[in-house]
Amino acid sequence: MQEAPVARRGPLRFPVTMRAMDAQRIPQLGPRGEGWVAIQVVLFLLIAVAGMAAGSAWGGAAALVTAVAGLLLACTLSASAKPGVYPEGSPVARHGALQVRERQLCDQAGKPVLLRGMSTHDLKLFGRFATREGVRFLAKEWHVTVMRPALYVTSFREDPSLEQKLDLIVEACEENGLYCIIDWHVLFEHDPLTTQADAIAFFKRKAAQYRDKTHVIYEICNEPNGAGVTWAGSVKPFAEAVIPVIRQEAPGAIVIVGTPTWSQ
């Protein structure tokens, strides 16, 4: 199957949720947009002034501190969720937001698309190869269309800073117009349910961070395995707990769910 170059045509063609429609109509008042930031700051400042006017210096000062903290947090969230910018002619620029139609991966125009690329393997063991230069080389010389930074849960629990390495690969993929699969790798944990709390926190954070990035795909449990790990008993309930967390922030994103016996 060959890739079909498609001109970029704007928003997702997934079934549009009310939240997505609202964001399209009034993006300046989105849940973390600049307009909402301004509203929060004004409200907090009014509370601060009212507290001071009422003679409660402590209450007014506390409200003022809250206003400043709210401003910083809201601005940080807003800045981290900027829409992706992809080089002209790159895979993401050609195919746009991916979707699934009748079990077939398609581009935003509904035409079947086949992605080709590679995984980083464990970012702890082989992170030295996961660099901006490496991603750029693979894009320009090998003509890959997708990369998968593999966050092995065992390694991530030992070294949480690996998330920064993953973020670097996501950014490098955007710079080169490649799709990027954020991989929660449960190889050594066997049963994804043993990682559910950590997975929910992780994907809630990543989906909020990358909710406006067309190139980001989420893989919530790669390589579940073990004699007692079944679809009905382990993988499906895990997916039912984690997917809504992603959908809350990124309703149109592609989510990959592994299958038992090392995703066979």
Side-chain angles (χ1 to χ4, degrees), residues 134-171:
V135 174
R136 183 165 53 247
F137 180 88
L138 291 171
K140 304 302 180 184
E141 303 298 330
W142 286 22
H143 306 291
V144 303
T145 55
V146 62
M147 287 286 297
R148 186 182 73 168
L151 192 66
Y152 279 58
V153 178
T154 300
S155 297
F156 179 51
R157 286 172 167 171
E158 294 172 351
D159 183 5
S161 70
L162 292 176
E163 186 172 339
Q164 299 172 17
K165 174 68 72 173
L166 180 145
D167 288 335
L168 183 149
I169 299 302
V170 176
E171 294 170 4

Side-chain angles (χ1 to χ4, degrees), residues 35-205:
W36 180 239
V37 172
I39 291 173
Q40 291 180 78
V41 173
V42 170
L43 289 175
F44 280 128
L45 288 176
L46 287 175
I47 294 171
V49 172
M52 291 178 178
S56 173
W58 171 252
L64 184 60
V65 170
T66 303
V68 173
L71 172 63
L72 293 174
L73 176 59
C75 288
T76 299
L77 290 172
S78 180
S80 67
K82 293 180 179 178
V85 178
Y86 308 103
E88 183 178 356
S90 67
V92 181
R94 294 199 309 271
H95 299 302
L98 302 179
Q99 57 182 312
V100 176
R101 289 192 176 185
E102 298 180 356
R103 296 183 295 179
Q104 171 66 55
L105 184 65
C106 298
D107 62 21
Q108 67 181 14
K111 295 184 178 181
V113 63
L114 177 64
L115 302 179
R116 299 180 176 89
M118 63 183 299
S119 176
T120 61
H121 206 294
D122 187 348
L123 288 172
K124 181 179 180 180
L125 297 178
F126 301 99
R128 65 187 183 280
F129 300 114
T131 64
R132 292 183 186 276
E133 294 73 19
V135 174
R136 183 165 53 247
F137 180 88
L138 291 171
K140 304 302 180 184
E141 303 298 330
W142 286 22
H143 306 291
V144 303
T145 55
V146 62
M147 287 286 297
R148 186 182 73 168
L151 192 66
Y152 279 58
V153 178
T154 300
S155 297
F156 179 51
R157 286 172 167 171
E158 294 172 351
D159 183 5
S161 70
L162 292 176
E163 186 172 339
Q164 299 172 17
K165 174 68 72 173
L166 180 145
D167 288 335
L168 183 149
I169 299 302
V170 176
E171 294 170 4
C173 284
E174 178 179 346
E175 293 167 0
N176 291 276
L178 305 180
Y179 291 97
C180 184
I181 301 173
I182 294 178
D183 169 25
W184 184 256
H185 213 91
V186 297
L187 175 64
F188 300 115
E189 285 70 27
H190 306 295
D191 189 337
L193 285 175
T194 64
T195 75
Q196 182 169 300
D198 290 338
I200 288 174
F202 174 77
F203 282 109
K204 182 177 182 179
R205 189 164 60 248

